[in-house]
Amino acid sequence: MSVTAVDWEAVRDEAVQYLQDLLRIDTSNPPGNERAAAEYLAEILAREGIAPRLIEPAPRRTSLIARLPGRGERGPILLQGHTDVVPADPAEWSHPPFAGDIADGCLWGRGALDMKGTVVMQLMALLLVRRTGLRPRGDVIFAALADEEAGGRLGAGWLVDHVPELVRAEVALGEVGGFTLHVGGHRFYPVQVAEKVGCRLTVTVRGDSGHGSQPVRDGAMAKAGAVLTALTRERLPLHVTPVAEAFIRALARAEPGLLGLLDPAREGQVLAELGKDARMFEAILHNTAVPTMISGGSAANVVPGSVRITVDGRLLPGQTAADFLREVRALIGDEAEIEVQHTPSHTEAPRDAFFAQFQEIVEEFDPGAMVVPYLLSGITDARFFARLGTPTYGFAPVKLPPGMPFWTLFHGADERIPLEGLLTGSRALYRVLERY
Ligand SMILES: [Zn+2]
């Protein structure tokens, strides 16, 4: 079959069927149970004469890896996705999250975007390479991974530590990027080239304990209150990284006011005007320290001698834990004890010719749209592959209409993917492999 003979209508129907089946396999993590999804994918691959490896570091926590040989003229390209999903509360959904309903031109279900939809696009791209007899210059590796949503230690993390030869690649395509971002009447496609790094803090404050009938004014509760107030009211200093700057400058072509975000004197004002949209911009311009859990006290009538606050810390690329601690101390003072949990990693992918091709590929399905580099405030499996020297681009192309903002669907209720998006995404990933 030649390339021009690809029947794209049939590809769409096939992709829709695969995704519908995958959405009906509940892989909520915890507990994960990715084995059923891996076995489903393995069956499809086996029918095409591709023998995948199933790897199960813990019972039912299965990852799948398949490889198609290239011409050996360059290193492999890795298409990596995860088959686990975050849990869903059916009460919040218009369609049941694990039914795979088709309605309003979309396939509905937990994982439609994050990221079984992408896994299916990657699978289709791989199958098309097989069927058309395409031989890219490097091998194509397809990895459907377990456990991403709970930290990846039983998925990508395990593979990188124990069987790196199966996943080591020259370049990887992964999640968070390639969706439509509507700004000021223009369409942008952020492609993740870097992500922040987690740095969890446990902040402990201490003071006199005592009887609940007698007020303690400067005890642990008061100090915890001061820490929480400082961390939730104040921002850590602005750091304009190259990726965030490129992203904001590109968006500013549609919304010139966004340029103020890059100016320490004006940033606060611009963020205030952005309302809820400010959160995403603040996250890519600052180290962040968000209190998420608090514990202390043993009885209603006992003033506790200590209170512990868990802080979800996230570092910008290039920032160290020491930099971060200095910034946090400047807000909360020196008295609190701070314990740090941090594994440094560096995930930045170059904005080179490989990156440049995404613009041409996106224009094929959305003429006039613009690809922009993106810094993700969260973390993905990209950080594990980075340890092998493999840069990851978040490129899971889906054209979304203005009424379907990606960030409300990602981990949110009514997650869904336009059927047409599943086709354009499969075709776009196939284009990447054609050019590889
Ligand atoms: Zn994901």
Side-chain angles (χ1 to χ4, degrees), residues 282-298:
E282 180 178 344
I284 64 172
L285 291 166
H286 299 261
N287 297 325
T288 54
V290 176
T292 50
M293 296 196 290
I294 181 163
S295 66
S298 55

Side-chain angles (χ1 to χ4, degrees), residues 309-386:
I309 300 166
T310 302
V311 176
D312 183 354
R314 308 283 175 140
L315 308 189
L316 290 166
Q319 296 279 311
T320 66
D323 298 331
F324 181 53
L325 271 182
R326 253 195 313 280
E327 294 184 350
V328 169
R329 286 282 188 204
L331 282 189
I332 70 169
D334 290 328
E335 190 186 336
E337 296 156 32
I338 303 182
E339 212 181 290
V340 182
Q341 270 177 276
H342 172 59
T343 309
S345 66
H346 180 75
T347 58
E348 195 154 336
R351 280 174 276 155
D352 53 8
F354 189 84
F355 177 80
Q357 72 175 332
F358 297 134
Q359 177 66 43
E360 293 164 42
I361 290 170
V362 163
E363 282 202 60
E364 284 182 21
F365 66 85
D366 195 352
M370 186 179 177
V371 167
V372 290
Y374 183 59
L375 165 65
L376 181 70
S377 60
I379 52 177
T380 71
D381 280 339
R383 71 193 191 285
F384 295 114
F385 298 110

Side-chain angles (χ1 to χ4, degrees), residues 62-75:
T62 317
S63 294
L64 171 146
I65 297 176
R67 181 184 285 252
L68 285 183
R71 303 204 300 270
E73 294 165 11
R74 64 185 293 191

Side-chain angles (χ1 to χ4, degrees), residues 82 114-115 148-149 175 410-411:
H82 60 84
D114 181 19
M115 71 176 285
E148 193 274 346
E149 297 291 2
E175 67 180 319
F410 197 80
H411 291 201

